[in-house]
Amino acid sequence: MNITRVGHACVTLTGEKNIMIDPFITDNPSAKLNLDQIPKLDYIVCTHDHFDHFNQDVITLAKRDDAKLVAVHELTIKDEVSSSGIETIGMNIGGTYQDDKLSISLTPAVHSAGAGDPSGVVVNQNNTIIYHAGDSAVFSDMKLIPELFGAIDVAFLPIGGHYTMDEPAAAKAVELLNPKLTVPIHYDTWPPISADTGKFIELCKKHKVQIIEPGGSINL
Ligand code: NI
Ligand code: MN
């Protein structure tokens, strides 16, 4: 599987099926890619309906690619989603959508949202397990995520603070989640969420952290 950090909290997971989590491209000051550079998507996951995770790009990409929107039920019945005619998979926290090639599970997040509850997401594609925390604060039940879904290969964790975990809180989340690799997200997009990645790496001690700059990719 290839993972690309589009910018902010927006990532794509490409393999047999292509998934985007938290589209934010058009009005994203940190995005280095435009919509034409996004591969054909099968699924779009939105962790919650704040504009930096759910916006017109969701509808544009879902229509362009016939991709399905996966999110908490209340987000999938928002007016702009219903009226767009895109296909949705409305679930709730604790639920798993199973395709023959992958599974997508919604996990708790400590945050806020306009429609329904905010979530995190676990994607399992060919036994590669990716966790994206959404905009969550740290919470002790994060330790249940690898117990329930298996050892996490890559964890995307917000580190920018103000709206989410900051560097010390995200380092605590790394302890609880014990991922093989952590990729920080949701920082430096705007001044209130500036972060010190060097400090984060230091706080994570022996846990492996990789910085992926917007537009960058790694292969798993
Ligand atoms: Ni948010
Ligand atoms: Mn956000």
Side-chain angles (χ1 to χ4, degrees):
M1 194 192 312
N2 200 276
I3 64 181
T4 299
R5 181 162 177 250
V6 177
H8 195 60
C10 177
V11 300
T12 55
L13 316 175
T14 53
E16 281 186 62
K17 293 283 170 93
N18 296 337
I19 302 132
M20 175 172 276
I21 302 174
D22 286 351
F24 184 39
I25 302 150
T26 305
D27 296 319
N28 179 350
S30 73
K32 291 281 183 293
L33 303 174
N34 59 49
L35 290 175
D36 293 338
Q37 292 168 293
I38 306 300
K40 185 178 188 306
L41 301 173
D42 298 291
Y43 296 99
I44 296 170
V45 182
C46 290
T47 59
H48 62 299
D49 68 351
H50 289 157
F51 76 95
D52 52 327
H53 306 258
F54 170 82
N55 49 63
Q56 187 57 38
D57 290 340
V58 174
I59 308 293
T60 303
L61 289 167
K63 280 189 169 170
R64 185 193 76 175
D65 297 342
D66 234 355
K68 299 178 180 72
L69 169 64
V70 182
V72 290
H73 166 73
E74 289 82 359
L75 189 155
T76 65
I77 58 165
K78 281 171 79 85
D79 287 347
E80 56 267 52
V81 177
S82 310
S83 64
S84 72
I86 66 169
E87 197 173 335
T88 61
I89 298 164
M91 302 200 291
N92 215 316
I93 312 297
T96 294
Y97 169 78
Q98 189 76 49
D99 185 338
D100 56 341
K101 308 275 189 200
L102 74 134
S103 67
I104 301 173
S105 306
L106 297 183
T107 59
V110 177
H111 189 58
S112 65
D117 284 341
S119 70
V121 60
V122 173
V123 175
N124 181 332
Q125 176 147 241
N126 292 327
N127 295 319
T128 299
I129 296 172
I130 309 290
Y131 170 61
H132 184 298
D135 274 358
S136 193
V138 66
F139 56 97
S140 59
D141 283 354
M142 280 180 167
K143 67 178 182 298
L144 296 177
I145 292 172
E147 287 183 30
L148 286 168
F149 299 104
I152 297 168
D153 292 289
V154 180
F156 292 104
L157 301 182
I159 66 162
H162 199 87
Y163 304 104
T164 68
M165 296 185 270
D166 58 9
E167 303 92 328
K172 176 52 78 176
V174 169
E175 256 177 59
L176 295 164
L177 293 160
N178 196 27
K180 291 175 195 154
L181 180 67
T182 299
V183 176
I185 57 172
H186 213 281
Y187 66 94
D188 288 355
T189 315
W190 303 283
I193 60 168
S194 63
D196 182 341
T197 51
K199 175 179 162 189
F200 177 63
I201 291 167
E202 203 179 298
L203 289 166
C204 287
K205 297 176 187 146
K206 292 197 175 88
H207 293 274
K208 196 174 165 205
V209 175
Q210 183 157 354
I211 309 299
I212 307 179
E213 298 298 340
S217 296
I218 59 169
N219 213 340
L220 297 177

